[in-house]
Structure formats: C-alpha cells, structure tokens
Amino acid sequence: METQLTGDPVTVRVEANDISGVSKIQYIGGTYKADDSVWNYAADVSDNKFTVEQNGTYTVRAVDSLGNANVCYVTVNNIDSTVSVAPTISE
C-alpha cells in the first residue's frame, strides 16, 4: 500500500481471525518468528492498531485461544522527519 511521506507517527491497523478465537495480538520492531523469546517483551496491539515513530519492519504476532501463534511482517517506510507541515492560524 502506497502512502504519502509524513513527519508524524504512523498508525498500523491489524486484524487477526481464528475459528477458536484470538487471545492476543502483539507487535515488535524487527523480524522474528512466532516462537522467539522476544515476545515476552513485545507490546500488545490495542483496538486492532498500533503506532510507530520510526521506519522499519515490524513483526505482528497473533495467538489463538489454543496457544497457536502466527506472525506477519509490516514495513513502514514513509516517516520523514524533514517533512514540514503548514502552520495553522486561529482567530
């Protein structure tokens, strides 16, 4: 999906489904497997979204109610701190 450059953090929306139900969705910067120990330190996804402030690849992990886990990878590459935004004027 193409997105415009921004100087702001980017919100990533995720959705996971499983016939037994999804018990947890987490994310972490970098590329990891579903069974890596790094998931003990990963952040939880809230309301099917998470916000990142840096470009990079993020791993998203979904765990079903039976403990099975799967991952997908999301790459953010449109954050540019040099992008300027026009000022706002209020009366």
Side-chain angles (χ1 to χ4, degrees):
M1 175 161 92
E2 290 292 320
T3 55
Q4 294 182 336
L5 286 178
T6 180
D8 296 324
V10 171
T11 298
V12 178
R13 298 190 187 286
V14 297
E15 186 175 323
N17 297 294
D18 187 85
I19 195 166
S20 69
V22 175
S23 63
K24 182 187 296 190
I25 304 175
Q26 298 172 287
Y27 75 96
I28 193 164
T31 305
Y32 300 97
K33 297 178 184 175
D35 59 353
D36 284 342
S37 63
V38 70
W39 295 108
N40 294 326
Y41 311 102
D44 291 333
V45 171
S46 177
D47 296 323
N48 292 333
K49 61 186 175 185
F50 62 94
T51 302
V52 298
E53 296 181 1
Q54 296 180 357
N55 290 325
T57 299
Y58 296 84
T59 305
V60 179
R61 176 181 181 239
V63 180
D64 70 14
S65 62
L66 301 174
N68 301 307
N70 201 3
V71 297
C72 72
Y73 306 100
V74 177
T75 300
V76 174
N77 60 8
N78 64 318
I79 300 173
D80 183 347
S81 61
T82 65
V83 171
S84 61
V85 177
T88 58
I89 300 172
S90 57
E91 296 180 31

